[in-house]
Amino acid sequence: MSGPLPSPDPSQPAHPSENTARTRWLRTNSARLGLIAAVPICGLITPGLGAVALAGAIVALWRKNPWSKQGKVVATIAAAALLGAVVPAPAKDGAQDRRAAVQQVPASAVPSVSAAPAVSRRPLADFRGKSLEVAYIRIVRTGATVVFHDASDEGEHIEFSSRGLWTVCFQNETGTGAERTVDLGAVRRGDPCPTRDGGPLPLPTMPELVWKTWLQARKEVIALGVPADRVRAREAYVNDTLPEEGKYDAWRVCAHDPAQGEAIRTDADVTLYLSSPANGCPESRRGVGTSARLSDRDDDGDPDYRDPYPGDRNRTSTFPDGFPRDSNGSNDSNGSDGHGWNPCHHTHWC
């Protein structure tokens, strides 16, 4: 006869297979990732619930997890970051307590005000002296409206596509918040800023250079800020020709453009009209024009002052012995004796 059956031990689980399966599932990667994903969801409900979910995810990540230590650290940081992204930051300087206190005050006890205090805003950087293009782009990024204009008294229209060719001189702000507008006054790159917005440019003016040598006049123009390669030499007489560079250093200025007293921009070209000291300047056009002509009696294009035979059109400063013969053995002009020059027989010039 068998004895009584032993009573079950209350400390042992009734269904050990179910607990074992549940424990194994909690240690799977799916469960760990699911707990991490639940952190921001719980945090959206309440910050406290999100903190509990984060603690559970950390336990699942670090307890009996075959992952590498680096993987556990990365997963932990990711879970904390997800919670931080959904939980609002705490109010600073007791602002939350003040808001709660305001909510408890009856509406009738709140005094009325005529206007709300101005909202403080972070001041913009100072873009004076910077490119208008750079200033426009950076200010627009702050949400402000940007307008620009010519800061000089010339009132030139600034094309939108040419903003990089202008420099900011003045910067003025009006309005607040979404209504803030920044007005930029600019001048062409290289020009000096006027003393006031809309005033004249303090540009240097052209001095009197007539009858100064090329070397002296050129030096004075460069001293005004004009680049050396923008100072150019031309003939004062339409039928004259400048010698090679370096050989007209002693030639004299008869006219110049810009004229005396005119403003000079640093990007402008300055032209000096020169004449040989042997000729002087055309008095009727002194300092003004370039239409005068030098005497050319034989009308061969060679002014008399450098024509060895001013009465013989066949002999010039280039060909003092007469024009050379062509390939057929004849000269370029009639009356040649066949020796490569014209003795101008039977004329009163020789």
Side-chain angles (χ1 to χ4, degrees):
M1 183 176 179
S2 61
L5 296 174
S7 60
D9 187 352
S11 62
Q12 297 297 327
H15 301 284
S17 59
E18 294 181 6
N19 290 340
T20 300
R22 187 181 306 165
T23 301
R24 290 178 179 175
W25 180 84
L26 289 173
R27 295 176 182 174
T28 62
N29 291 336
S30 299
R32 296 185 185 97
L33 295 176
L35 289 172
I36 294 175
V39 170
I41 299 175
C42 295
L44 288 173
I45 299 174
T46 61
L49 184 59
V52 173
L54 177 61
I58 293 174
V59 172
L61 287 171
W62 289 89
R63 185 175 182 182
K64 295 182 180 181
N65 185 356
W67 292 5
S68 64
K69 184 177 181 180
Q70 182 178 4
K72 296 177 183 178
V73 171
V74 172
T76 301
I77 294 175
L82 290 174
L83 179 61
V86 299
V87 174
K92 296 182 179 179
D93 300 330
Q96 186 174 1
D97 296 338
R98 289 196 297 271
R99 286 197 300 268
V102 171
Q103 292 176 357
Q104 296 175 1
V105 177
S108 59
V110 179
S112 60
V113 293
S114 58
V119 179
S120 62
R121 67 171 185 263
R122 184 177 180 181
L124 290 173
D126 188 355
F127 290 99
R128 290 176 297 179
K130 304 294 180 60
S131 166
L132 178 60
E133 174 78 9
V134 174
Y136 180 89
I137 293 175
R138 293 186 180 178
I139 296 176
V140 166
R141 289 175 180 172
T142 67
T145 300
V146 182
V147 295
F148 45 83
H149 65 278
D150 184 357
S152 73
D153 58 352
E154 298 178 1
E156 183 177 353
H157 175 68
I158 303 178
E159 297 291 342
F160 192 82
S161 59
S162 65
R163 292 171 300 173
L165 302 177
W166 294 73
T167 302
V168 177
C169 288
F170 302 96
Q171 176 177 328
N172 298 303
E173 297 181 47
T174 56
T176 59
E179 302 297 327
R180 183 169 59 169
T181 300
V182 182
D183 187 5
L184 301 176
V187 297
R188 285 192 173 276
R189 185 174 57 198
D191 286 347
C193 291
T195 56
R196 58 179 177 82
D197 197 351
L201 296 175
L203 295 171
T205 57
M206 193 72 171
E208 173 61 81
L209 300 175
V210 172
W211 205 240
K212 293 183 179 180
T213 65
W214 158 254
L215 285 180
Q216 181 181 0
R218 180 175 181 270
K219 182 178 180 181
E220 291 187 24
V221 174
I222 293 175
L224 298 176
V226 179
D229 60 349
R230 289 188 175 272
V231 185
R232 302 171 182 177
R234 285 190 58 186
E235 305 85 354
Y237 294 90
V238 293
N239 62 334
D240 203 2
T241 303
L242 285 177
E244 297 178 359
E245 185 175 359
K247 293 185 178 181
Y248 53 82
D249 292 346
W251 282 38
R252 301 285 180 165
V253 177
C254 291
H256 45 78
D257 183 22
Q260 179 186 5
E262 292 187 7
I264 304 177
R265 279 191 159 91
T266 56
D267 60 347
D269 293 328
V270 174
T271 304
L272 305 179
Y273 297 92
L274 309 178
S275 173
S276 169
N279 298 316
C281 292
E283 292 297 331
S284 61
R285 296 284 184 172
R286 182 178 178 84
V288 179
T290 59
S291 60
R293 301 179 65 88
L294 289 169
S295 173
D296 182 10
R297 285 181 289 170
D298 55 8
D299 197 26
D300 61 355
D302 212 12
D304 293 343
Y305 85 94
R306 55 188 176 92
D307 192 339
Y309 299 96
D312 184 358
R313 66 178 298 116
N314 296 309
R315 288 188 282 184
T316 65
S317 58
T318 305
F319 304 106
D321 294 329
F323 293 123
R325 290 175 296 180
D326 58 19
S327 59
N328 296 324
S330 61
N331 289 66
D332 292 337
S333 59
N334 296 326
S336 171
D337 65 351
H339 295 288
W341 60 282
N342 187 349
C344 56
H345 292 305
H346 310 297
T347 67
H348 66 280
W349 297 111
C350 299

